[in-house]
Amino acid sequence: LPTLLRLSLLILHTAPYKPVEVVLSYSHLCLQNDTFRAFAPILRERARIGMLLTASPLSMGLLTPRVPAWHPAPEPLKTAAQEAVKRCADWDGGLPAVAIAWAAKVAEQGPVPMPSVVGLSKFQEVHQAVRAWRAVRDGLKAEELDVIAKSAMAAFEESGTKNWSWVTAK
């Protein structure tokens, strides 16, 4: 995110002095890493980004019962994610549903409302995501969602892995 901000400002202040039209950040507006919340207003106001998009509220599969073997997160983060899975077990759809609902709520109702891109691989996951989004849109179970989302986030805070990022390219 600091790199996106620096590049956006550099583009804005270099001829022809036009702001970047769209910035998409993935895995930075989720239960494990919510740093995009702090950067979104700065990107919008200082760098004058036209459209901000957030993606991957499941953090590339980290916030699922089975983290993909290829996932680049370090082991302590994967362990904390499995603790978050346990803490959300009683919610319909488990951690993935909580993660999608929470991210949708924050993205739509935050200081800088923005669309969220979700990648899903099964019809069941699509239906579950739509149910989670509708629940947020309709204000259903809002307090209950906040409580369980805070419990999931606490798994990362307690392990010292909250807001960690990982290298995805070398």
Side-chain angles (χ1 to χ4, degrees), residues 5 15 24-25 27 32 40 57 60 69 81 83 94 98 102 108 114-115 119 122 126 136 139 149-150:
L5 177 58
L24 178 142
S25 179
S27 299
Q32 181 270 324
M60 299 168 35
E83 175 60 29
V98 172
W102 181 86
E108 290 181 7
M114 61 190 116
K122 298 176 184 164
V126 173
V136 167
K150 284 179 184 175

Side-chain angles (χ1 to χ4, degrees), residues 78-100:
K78 290 179 182 178
T79 300
Q82 291 312 296
E83 175 60 29
V85 166
K86 292 175 190 171
R87 294 179 183 199
C88 295
D90 292 337
W91 186 273
D92 181 29
L95 179 60
V98 172
I100 290 170

Side-chain angles (χ1 to χ4, degrees), residues 4-108:
L4 286 173
L5 177 58
R6 282 192 308 269
L7 287 171
S8 298
L9 289 169
L10 179 65
I11 292 166
L12 178 64
H13 296 291
T14 304
Y17 309 106
K18 294 183 179 179
V20 173
E21 292 180 21
V22 178
V23 167
L24 178 142
S25 179
Y26 65 94
S27 299
H28 288 106
L29 189 63
C30 65
L31 292 171
Q32 181 270 324
N33 186 327
D34 63 351
T35 53
F36 201 46
R37 293 169 89 172
F39 276 84
I42 299 166
L43 286 162
R44 180 62 63 84
E45 293 161 19
R46 266 188 73 202
R48 298 192 317 206
I49 304 294
M51 171 66 73
L52 297 174
L53 297 168
T54 180
S56 196
L58 298 177
S59 200
M60 299 168 35
L62 178 69
L63 303 180
T64 65
R66 282 175 261 131
V67 177
W70 52 261
H71 200 286
E75 278 310 310
L77 184 47
K78 290 179 182 178
T79 300
Q82 291 312 296
E83 175 60 29
V85 166
K86 292 175 190 171
R87 294 179 183 199
C88 295
D90 292 337
W91 186 273
D92 181 29
L95 179 60
V98 172
I100 290 170
W102 181 86
K105 179 180 177 182
V106 172
E108 290 181 7

